[in-house]
């Protein structure tokens, strides 16, 4: 069982000026998510289902096992090997504003390796939220994930 140690939990958050239903769908529906995060998915997130997310530009993928989903409010997944936990919490501040909090925890590293993993996770989930905000609020595909580790042309 993966437990949450507050000292080893990455927390990223962002207000998105869209209804909770729109934000929720953007996370569980790969037709939307591929516009701001991963490039390919084997399916929608559904309770008990396992999907694969791909970041083709990095030749990387993650197996995602879906835990609890509460429509428009909560999505819990485990991913990676060994797995860690990611929880997306959505709170409707108004009918047109949703506050999203992402918590990533259950890391297996220690020492300097743990610090590097925490920093990488913080940057990754911040980039996800920034890209989601731009896409959902303004319809802009910023390509943040793809540009984060862009290779210099030869």
């Amino acid at each position: 069982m993966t437990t949450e140690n507050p000292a080893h939990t990455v927390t990223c958050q962002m207000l998105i000026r869209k209804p909770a239903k729109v934000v929720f769908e953007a996370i569980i529906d790969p037709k939307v998510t591929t516009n701001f995060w991963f490039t390919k998915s084997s399916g929608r997130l559904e309770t008990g289902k396992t999907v694969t997310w791909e970041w083709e530009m990095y030749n990387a993928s993650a197996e995602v096992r879906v835990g609890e989903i509460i429509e428009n409010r909560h999505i819990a997944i485990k991913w990676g090997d060994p797995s860690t936990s990611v929880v997306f919490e959505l709170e409707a501040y108004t009918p047109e504003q949703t506050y999203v909090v992402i918590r990533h925890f259950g890391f297996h590293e220690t020492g300097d390796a743990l610090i590097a993993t925490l920093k990488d996770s913080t940057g990754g989930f911040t980039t996800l939220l920034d890209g989601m905000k731009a896409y959902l609020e303004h319809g802009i595909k910023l390509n943040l994930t793809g540009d984060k580790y862009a290779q210099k042309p030869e």
Side-chain angles (χ1 to χ4, degrees):
M1 177 172 181
T2 305
T3 58
E4 186 171 1
N5 176 342
H8 301 155
T9 299
V10 168
T11 303
C12 300
Q13 60 278 322
M14 179 72 68
L15 178 71
I16 306 225
R17 289 178 177 83
K18 286 293 178 182
K21 179 176 181 52
V22 171
V23 177
F24 177 79
E25 282 296 317
I27 298 168
I28 68 165
D29 184 352
K31 291 177 188 161
V32 182
T33 320
T34 54
N35 289 291
F36 58 83
W37 193 17
F38 49 78
T39 56
K40 193 174 182 182
S41 174
S42 63
R44 286 174 62 91
L45 298 184
E46 297 172 13
T47 300
K49 188 174 178 180
T50 298
V51 300
T52 301
W53 288 342
E54 295 181 41
W55 291 263
E56 295 167 300
M57 69 290 242
Y58 301 123
N59 196 28
S61 66
E63 185 176 89
V64 178
R65 291 171 310 287
V66 184
E68 182 180 41
I69 292 182
I70 301 171
E71 189 172 356
N72 304 331
R73 293 182 34 220
H74 174 92
I75 301 161
I77 64 171
K78 289 188 179 289
W79 71 350
D81 183 22
S83 69
T84 57
S85 297
V86 180
V87 176
F88 299 82
E89 295 287 348
L90 287 68
E91 183 179 350
Y93 275 12
T94 72
E96 294 299 318
Q97 295 182 351
T98 305
Y99 196 68
V100 180
V101 177
I102 302 172
R103 290 188 342 273
H104 186 194
F105 56 94
F107 301 102
H108 303 274
E109 297 84 357
T110 59
D112 289 345
L114 175 62
I115 292 169
T117 298
L118 293 171
K119 288 168 54 177
D120 185 54
S121 178
T122 301
F125 283 112
T126 299
T127 298
L128 159 63
L129 287 169
D130 294 345
M132 181 166 53
K133 181 178 183 70
Y135 182 73
L136 294 180
E137 289 185 13
H138 306 287
I140 300 170
K141 296 181 186 182
L142 293 177
N143 199 36
L144 296 174
T145 301
D147 290 347
K148 190 165 185 84
Y149 300 105
Q151 298 296 311
K152 182 177 175 181
E154 294 183 23

